Amino acid sequence: MILASALLVNDNPAPAVPSPPSGQLERPLPDNPATTLPEIPGTGVLRQGDSGHGVYELQVRLLQIPNIYEGGAISGRYDMEVREAVARFQKRYSISGDQTGMYGDHTRLALMLRTK
């Protein structure tokens, strides 16, 4: 009985902090979270010939920018039309750091900041 009551009394309660799953390192939070990219499966550098969810998301976002991908298909395929739309977006917003027509980190950040 004494043991049970001793377990119930805690003079210095500390909040439980879950440890990261084994094999996964803790990552520090970025200094400016507003300029970091969310982790979206299937993204990275996207280019003509790619397909999948990342391209689908790109197409949805491109449609939100006037005169960039108007009437473009949301097919999940990075075709010539998507490449040209990405190049137009890069040129309009003076995005450097990614190859023309390729959807890399710089282009992704600029597009994500301008779309939902």
Side-chain angles (χ1 to χ4, degrees):
M1 187 71 137
I2 295 173
L3 180 59
S5 63
L7 291 174
L8 294 174
V9 177
N10 189 347
D11 293 345
N12 209 0
V17 178
S19 60
S22 62
Q24 181 179 354
L25 299 174
E26 282 190 60
R27 288 185 243 167
L29 292 175
D31 293 333
N32 187 355
T35 60
T36 60
L37 300 172
E39 292 184 26
I40 301 172
T43 60
V45 175
L46 297 174
R47 59 184 58 84
Q48 189 171 346
D50 289 343
S51 63
H53 183 73
V55 178
Y56 174 89
E57 291 289 329
L58 167 61
Q59 291 169 323
V60 168
R61 288 181 184 273
L62 286 171
L63 282 171
Q64 295 176 41
I65 306 293
N67 302 313
I68 292 293
Y69 188 58
E70 291 190 11
I74 300 179
S75 62
R77 289 189 305 274
Y78 203 119
D79 57 15
M80 179 62 83
E81 189 176 6
V82 173
R83 182 187 173 286
E84 290 171 352
V86 169
R88 275 191 296 278
F89 177 79
Q90 291 168 327
K91 184 175 180 180
R92 179 183 295 173
Y93 294 101
S94 303
I95 299 164
S96 60
D98 295 328
Q99 289 184 15
T100 301
M102 290 178 62
Y103 190 57
D105 289 341
H106 300 277
T107 306
R108 180 179 292 105
L109 178 59
L111 185 59
M112 291 182 85
L113 291 173
R114 290 172 174 84
T115 60
K116 296 180 189 181

